[in-house]
Amino acid sequence: MKKIKTADGTFTLKNDKFNECYHSSEGAVKESLYKHIYPAFNVIQKKEINILDICFGLGYNTFLSVLNRPQHSKLNIFSPEMDEDLIKNLKDFPYPKEFDSIRHIINKISDNFYYEDEFVKIEVFIGDAREYIKKLSSIDIVFQDAFSPKVNKELWSIEYFTQIKNILNKFGIITSYSVATPVRCALYKLGFKLYTHNTDEIRKGTIAALVDLPFERVDFEEKLKRVNCYYYTD
Ligand SMILES: C[S@@+](CC[C@H](N)C(=O)[O-])C[C@H]1O[C@@H](n2cnc3c(N)ncnc32)[C@H](O)[C@@H]1O
């Protein structure tokens, strides 16, 4: 796969099969922090936080969660990934300098798909995300970071989000780069409130939760006066 330098100086890859990059050209680290990690840790403050990282890819969301772990929280990170060879090769990926302090974690994940210490547990499941999430429960944060709905529809369908809703805690949060109407429609239809990111650092995405959150609300009712609600199905 082709290595690509993004605008914040960090590297991502272009996946030939999906014909998409793993991250936005605005920055691999920047996207992960501003679209996923900062909003999620802003609202989820617990002694033990269960994170579902959809999907592992190059692991930026998981590794940056570890590096930005709230001081008094233990993180349990569950992450499916269908591409076993990608994970096996992560040891050699040119991660940014700030990842040096977790080099031992990167190597363990790459070799064993598993890491645990007293502050963090990471399980990478090799296989289909939809199978894996059937056995999960009590999730606090979902990093919804599959390839785009155009090429990875099964991880954006209403059936998929129904599964996600079933395993999400009442105060749980979903973060995503996608602003696609069918994605927002599916979430809205399932009773999620929709928000977007309070930042000028990066293009805004979608944050969804069943409860009120301190983010800019997306007025989806207003949008539905102008467009039909449609969503992806399996
Ligand atoms: C956009 S990348 C994820 C980027 C990742 N979050 C990161 O920070 O590096 C999407 C990933 O989803 C994986 N994937 C796509 N469909 C999948 C599925 N049904 N089950 C498991 N993994 C899947 C791809 O192999 C790819 O690694």
Side-chain angles (χ1 to χ4, degrees), residues 203-214:
R203 271 197 309 265
K204 293 179 182 185
T206 301
I207 299 171
L210 297 166
V211 293
D212 289 336
L213 294 181

Side-chain angles (χ1 to χ4, degrees), residues 11 23 28-29 32-33 36-37 41 51 53 55-70 75 77 79 86-96 98-111 113-115 120-124 143 145:
F11 285 95
H23 297 91
V29 162
S32 177
L33 289 177
H36 298 287
I37 285 144
F41 287 159
I51 299 176
D53 183 8
C55 295
F56 195 81
L58 304 177
Y60 274 90
N61 293 340
T62 287
F63 297 142
L64 284 163
S65 294
V66 174
L67 288 168
N68 290 276
R69 179 179 62 83
L75 304 182
I77 305 179
S79 187
L86 175 71
I87 308 294
K88 285 183 173 162
N89 286 307
L90 289 183
K91 275 198 293 278
D92 303 318
F93 188 77
Y95 287 111
E98 67 229 62
F99 283 32
D100 286 357
S101 63
I102 55 161
R103 173 46 60 189
H104 59 296
I105 302 182
I106 296 171
N107 291 345
K108 271 264 160 57
I109 294 293
S110 190
D111 287 338
F113 315 127
Y114 188 82
Y115 175 82
V120 58
K121 182 175 101 175
I122 304 168
E123 174 181 276
V124 177
F143 297 140
D145 196 21

Side-chain angles (χ1 to χ4, degrees), residues 211-229:
V211 293
D212 289 336
L213 294 181
F215 301 121
E216 189 185 321
R217 187 84 187 257
V218 175
D219 191 348
F220 208 65
E221 287 82 6
E222 184 55 38
K223 171 135 189 160
L224 289 181
K225 289 180 190 159
R226 289 174 280 118
V227 299
N228 290 329
C229 191

Side-chain angles (χ1 to χ4, degrees), residues 12 15 18 20-23 28 32 36 53-62 80-83 86 125 127-130 143 145-148 152 154-155 177:
T12 189
N15 184 300
F18 287 90
E20 285 195 3
C21 286
Y22 286 74
H23 297 91
S32 177
H36 298 287
D53 183 8
I54 298 281
C55 295
F56 195 81
L58 304 177
Y60 274 90
N61 293 340
T62 287
E81 175 52 59
M82 57 163 41
D83 188 346
L86 175 71
F125 168 81
D128 194 320
R130 290 166 301 171
F143 297 140
D145 196 21
F147 286 122
S148 79
N152 212 180
E154 79 272 17
L155 297 184
Y177 66 86

